[in-house]
Amino acid sequence: MSRRSHRPVLLTALVLAVAPLAGCGGVDAGTGGPGPVAVAPPPPEKAFGQACAAMPGDGAGSLDAMGRLSVLGAIDQSKDLSQLSALVKTAKAKDIFDSMENVTVFAPNDAAFAKLGEDQKKALATQQGAGDLVRKLIVVRDLRKDDLQDKQYTSLQGAAIKATGSGEDYRVGGAQVLCGSIRTANARLAILDTVPSFG
């Protein structure tokens, strides 16, 4: 009785075992082309503006310390943003800030609030007036430096706010960005020299 060869059977089994692996290694098994490639996030951006150098080099109020805090915590810690911190408290807007992620907050400094007229200051002393301005200062987008070049955005309150500039000179609603692209744990912060105008 002759002996049958088992080689065709073994070869077929090997082909079937290897076939499912054809889709591995970055190759799309359906098309034979490359599979999807993960897109790296943009690199971290340094804070920019003429006033950044005047901020503390370390400790409370420094860029490193602000980066470890929520945006509201960073505002509360900055000695130049005490009026904005008080405005948030008047507006009872803490929950808004605590729930935010990857947004941009335009933060007028204390000198900016000092420029306001008496009628404007009286309006901001009410919860409604304070809340209206607080929402106008928030844009629900993570705006980097390049995003401030001749663009218009809609604030959380619904008002339009225009950004212009280039190089190191940027303005938001007519207010100069003293130190922008400050990263906090949940938002990006830009310190302004004036309370901005809105459309």
Side-chain angles (χ1 to χ4, degrees):
M1 186 174 180
S2 63
R3 180 181 298 175
R4 290 183 179 180
S5 172
H6 295 287
R7 287 180 182 175
V9 176
L10 291 173
L11 184 59
T12 302
L14 281 172
V15 170
L16 291 175
V18 172
L21 301 178
C24 299
V27 177
D28 189 325
T31 63
V37 178
V39 178
E45 181 174 82
K46 290 184 178 180
F48 68 90
Q50 63 184 26
C52 294
M55 298 178 71
D58 54 32
S62 68
L63 293 175
D64 285 344
M66 294 171 85
R68 295 189 292 270
L69 298 171
S70 68
V71 66
L72 186 54
I75 290 170
D76 289 342
Q77 192 182 80
S78 173
K79 62 182 180 64
D80 291 327
L81 300 178
S82 63
Q83 292 300 308
L84 179 58
S85 177
L87 190 76
V88 174
K89 291 179 175 67
T90 301
K92 301 187 187 305
K94 182 179 184 297
D95 288 348
I96 294 175
F97 282 84
D98 288 345
S99 64
M100 294 190 306
E101 193 74 32
N102 294 324
V103 303
T104 300
V105 178
F106 296 115
N109 63 9
D110 290 350
F113 283 99
K115 297 175 186 177
L116 296 177
E118 289 304 314
D119 289 343
Q120 291 172 300
K121 290 178 181 179
K122 287 180 181 178
L124 294 180
T126 67
Q127 182 178 346
Q128 181 176 346
D132 188 55
L133 179 56
V134 165
R135 288 169 176 81
K136 284 180 177 179
L137 295 172
I138 300 169
V139 173
V140 189
R141 283 189 57 178
D142 181 22
L143 301 179
R144 297 165 68 88
K145 184 178 178 181
D146 290 347
D147 296 320
L148 302 180
Q149 297 179 2
D150 299 321
K151 300 285 180 63
Q152 181 166 295
Y153 299 98
T154 301
S155 70
L156 182 63
Q157 188 264 0
I161 185 166
K162 188 173 183 180
T164 59
S166 61
E168 294 297 310
D169 184 15
Y170 288 85
R171 293 182 180 272
V172 175
Q176 186 173 15
V177 177
L178 296 176
C179 188
S181 206
I182 300 171
R183 280 303 308 178
T184 69
N186 65 331
R188 198 178 295 271
L189 188 67
I191 300 175
L192 309 179
D193 72 338
T194 308
V195 175
S197 300
F198 304 91

